[in-house]
Amino acid sequence: MKQFQQVKQAAIIIQRHWVATLKARQQQKQFLLTRRAAITIQRHWTATLSTRQQLKQYHNSRGAAITIQRYWVATLKARQQQRQFQQIKQAAITIQTHWVATLRTRQQQKHFLLARRAAIIIQRHWVATLKAREQKKQCQQTRDAVITIQRYWVATLGRNTESQTTAETVSTNQGSRHHYSKILGGNA
């Protein structure tokens, strides 16, 4: 019985040892499963954190890119508006220059026409003055010639009919003087 007790004891020890081994294996298995689960969770969590961080970086980068794009678009629009403004300004300057030149041309043309009219009036007046002087001179010469002829005629005819000729000569001289004074403007 002692031997039986010893075998029983040995069987109990072996059983305990075997149960402990099985428990140890089971615990090791459970530990490995738990460890794998923890690693999987850690990997997942690390991936989640990395994804969040990458997403945050993406949003930051996207926001920065949008800001840069907006700034660039605004810069391009400002340049385009500046070019358009410069074109409009240059067009306005061209129009103003042309208009000022047109106004100056009109003013110079008006001044020229006024000066031309004045010159024509002066020329006409001067030509009329010269003609009047020439006519006055011709009238004076004609008058002097008539008077000379009359004197000669009177001297030639005067001997025969002195009394009759004298009366006619005086009448003719007065008539011709009156006629020439009208022509010469009252300067007989």
Side-chain angles (χ1 to χ4, degrees):
M1 208 79 208
K2 233 180 178 202
Q3 194 177 5
F4 175 73
Q5 286 274 348
Q6 282 181 347
V7 173
K8 186 177 172 186
Q9 213 33 292
I12 290 175
I13 290 174
I14 290 172
Q15 283 178 349
R16 283 183 187 163
H17 183 65
W18 181 250
V19 169
T21 300
L22 287 177
K23 280 186 179 179
R25 284 182 183 171
Q26 189 177 8
Q27 283 178 352
Q28 187 178 12
K29 197 176 189 182
Q30 186 66 36
F31 170 76
L32 291 175
L33 287 174
T34 305
R35 185 174 167 218
R36 266 192 220 140
I39 290 172
T40 302
I41 290 171
Q42 284 176 345
R43 283 182 185 158
H44 181 68
W45 182 248
T46 302
T48 301
L49 289 178
S50 178
T51 303
R52 285 182 184 175
Q53 187 176 8
Q54 288 175 356
L55 189 61
K56 186 177 180 181
Q57 287 176 350
Y58 167 77
H59 285 301
N60 289 340
S61 297
R62 184 173 182 263
I66 289 172
T67 302
I68 291 169
Q69 285 175 344
R70 285 180 184 161
Y71 178 76
W72 181 246
V73 168
T75 301
L76 292 178
K77 283 182 181 179
R79 287 180 184 173
Q80 183 181 10
Q81 288 175 351
Q82 188 175 14
R83 276 194 301 272
Q84 287 175 346
F85 172 75
Q86 291 298 329
Q87 289 172 346
I88 291 170
K89 181 181 174 185
Q90 190 60 41
I93 289 171
T94 302
I95 291 169
Q96 286 174 345
T97 303
H98 180 71
W99 182 245
V100 167
T102 301
L103 289 178
R104 284 184 182 160
T105 302
R106 287 181 185 172
Q107 188 177 17
Q108 288 174 351
Q109 187 178 15
K110 186 177 178 182
H111 180 70
F112 170 77
L113 291 175
L114 288 173
R116 183 173 173 237
R117 283 186 199 138
I120 290 171
I121 290 170
I122 291 169
Q123 286 174 346
R124 285 181 184 164
H125 182 69
W126 181 246
V127 168
T129 301
L130 291 178
K131 283 183 180 179
R133 285 181 186 173
E134 185 63 32
Q135 286 178 353
K136 184 176 180 182
K137 185 179 177 183
Q138 286 177 356
C139 285
Q140 186 66 37
Q141 288 173 351
T142 304
R143 183 174 174 258
D144 290 343
V146 167
I147 290 172
T148 303
I149 292 170
Q150 284 177 348
R151 285 182 187 161
Y152 177 75
W153 185 254
V154 168
T156 304
L157 295 177
R159 295 181 190 151
N160 295 337
T161 54
E162 200 167 18
S163 63
Q164 186 181 7
T165 306
T166 305
E168 286 177 3
T169 303
V170 170
S171 171
T172 304
N173 277 342
Q174 287 177 353
S176 61
R177 281 185 185 170
H178 179 69
H179 175 71
Y180 288 120
S181 72
K182 283 184 179 178
I183 291 172
L184 298 175
N187 297 333

